Amino acid sequence: MATLTVQKQIEEEIPTVDQKKLILQADDVNIYYGDNHAVKHLSLDINKNEILALIGPSGCGKSTFLRSINRMNDLIPSARVTGNLSYEGVNLLSEEVNVVALRKEIGMVFQKANPFPKSIYENITHGLRFHDVRKRDWIHIVEDSLQKAALWDEVKDRLHDSALELSGGQQQRLCIARTLALKPEVILLDEPASALDPIATAKVEELMIELKKDYTVVVVTHNMQQASRVSDRTAFFYNGELIETNPTSKLFSNPDHEQTEAYISGRFG
Ligand SMILES: Nc1ncnc2c1ncn2[C@@H]1O[C@H](COP(=O)(O)OP(=O)(O)OP(=O)(O)O)[C@@H](O)[C@H]1O
């Protein structure tokens, strides 16, 4: 935490009982690509150790919001973010935030598995060299991360084989293991199973449920069954606005808003 930003900001935070559960808080967040107002006045609380699913039709701003949580939008020249987005009380949008340290705490896995063209072992250890981890600890971290990503048993005898020889589902779990090696607090998943077959998808879903014991998970998904199977709460986005956030069972059975009802019943999207 201290590496992230100014100590003063942390000291000023006196958590109340409710705040102790909060890990991320968006307050009137707006995201623009040039003139395109892609995310509008978004306010949302995310609790520790929950799985929050972001759903909504294509182009409604889910991935844009997800990427803002670990400042991936910084890499897009036309992107601009306003408002307040805080992680354990620290404003992530502040220029003083160390983005490398932030991305260690808030890791991200993308839709298409993107292992490096290196060995399984090197994929996991790649990020460790940037974070002062002692080399003699690497093998333990490799095993631990692969165990947590439910991949260890499948690869323990071929750690030095190319990651590109793994199946698509194994590559995606390897990317999750690579993120876990950096000991994050939050894991952002952008449609992590959309390129996978049903068996590999089921493994990734089981893994998400396992991960929430230790991490907070925010997942963008087009698959409403997936959202209802894995998430504790679901946020429905439409046209750049957050329409509704509710416990998943409520949102899918008795949503508060007509637009949510129309979307989940397949009337648009
Ligand atoms: N890199 C980018 N540069 C410019 N505009 C972008 C960029 N990424 C997204 N947008 C625009 O921002 C808006 C929201 O897109 P975003 O990808 O966040 O939606 P989404 O809900 O995640 O959609 P999908 O489900 O199709 O991935 C769209 O109008 C899109 O065209």
Side-chain angles (χ1 to χ4, degrees):
M1 276 301 297
T3 51
L4 274 189
T5 187
V6 216
Q7 187 65 24
K8 189 165 162 285
Q9 240 175 314
I10 300 166
E11 284 165 2
E12 279 168 3
E13 281 295 315
I14 303 162
T16 64
V17 174
D18 282 339
Q19 279 179 318
K20 277 186 190 163
K21 280 202 220 156
L22 276 184
I23 188 159
L24 285 156
Q25 203 166 18
D27 184 15
D28 197 22
V29 168
N30 290 279
I31 310 177
Y32 306 82
Y33 297 102
D35 295 335
N36 179 5
H37 195 174
V39 171
K40 300 169 187 161
H41 305 289
L42 181 144
S43 294
L44 173 67
D45 291 344
I46 302 176
N47 296 315
K48 276 186 184 158
N49 299 103
E50 75 170 344
I51 301 182
L52 175 71
L54 311 183
I55 65 164
S58 195
C60 66
K62 309 176 295 289
S63 299
T64 295
F65 172 61
L66 191 79
R67 286 197 299 264
S68 69
I69 301 175
N70 74 346
R71 298 268 301 261
M72 291 299 280
N73 290 322
D74 289 13
L75 307 173
I76 302 171
S78 66
R80 184 166 64 87
V81 186
T82 67
N84 201 301
L85 186 52
S86 67
Y87 167 64
E88 297 198 328
V90 173
N91 185 7
L92 295 182
L93 304 178
S94 160
E95 283 182 7
E96 292 171 67
V97 165
N98 174 339
V99 176
V100 175
L102 170 67
R103 294 192 186 135
K104 175 181 178 300
E105 298 236 352
I106 305 181
M108 187 158 189
V109 174
F110 299 89
Q111 177 173 12
K112 192 170 177 319
N114 56 352
F116 305 125
K118 294 178 169 195
S119 70
I120 294 165
Y121 180 92
E122 289 168 309
N123 263 271
I124 307 282
T125 57
H126 179 82
L128 303 178
R129 65 190 74 233
F130 304 111
H131 292 286
D132 255 2
V133 182
R134 289 178 310 183
K135 229 172 176 172
R136 65 168 184 263
D137 294 333
W138 285 13
I139 184 63
H140 304 295
I141 295 173
V142 169
E143 176 170 352
D144 186 51
S145 312
L146 288 167
Q147 291 272 17
K148 285 187 175 139
L151 188 58
W152 175 249
D153 289 341
E154 291 161 59
V155 301
K156 62 178 186 242
D157 298 323
R158 49 177 175 142
L159 292 179
H160 297 287
D161 289 359
S162 170
L164 302 182
E165 290 168 16
L166 297 173
S167 71
Q170 288 172 326
Q171 288 188 8
Q172 194 57 302
R173 281 179 284 142
L174 178 66
C175 292
I176 293 173
R178 189 170 69 186
T179 301
L180 298 181
L182 297 177
K183 304 203 184 318
E185 290 289 327
V186 180
I187 303 170
L188 309 175
L189 302 169
D190 196 350
E191 296 187 47
S194 65
L196 305 180
D197 66 35
I199 292 171
T201 296
K203 285 199 172 173
V204 169
E205 288 183 7
E206 276 167 32
L207 174 57
M208 279 191 247
I209 292 167
E210 196 57 33
L211 290 177
K212 83 167 178 174
K213 292 180 189 155
D214 296 315
Y215 310 93
T216 302
V217 178
V218 186
V219 56
V220 167
T221 179
H222 270 122
N223 180 333
M224 285 189 266
Q225 281 83 15
Q226 179 170 83
S228 63
R229 279 192 296 263
V230 303
S231 69
D232 300 295
R233 290 191 309 142
T234 297
F236 170 61
F237 285 62
Y238 182 60
N239 197 19
E241 290 179 38
L242 174 60
I243 305 296
E244 163 168 4
T245 309
N246 256 318
T248 296
S249 53
K250 170 161 172 48
L251 189 133
F252 283 107
S253 60
N254 181 23
D256 288 333
H257 287 262
E258 171 56 27
Q259 279 163 318
T260 317
E261 169 70 38
Y263 182 69
I264 61 172
S265 59
R267 276 185 271 143
F268 71 89

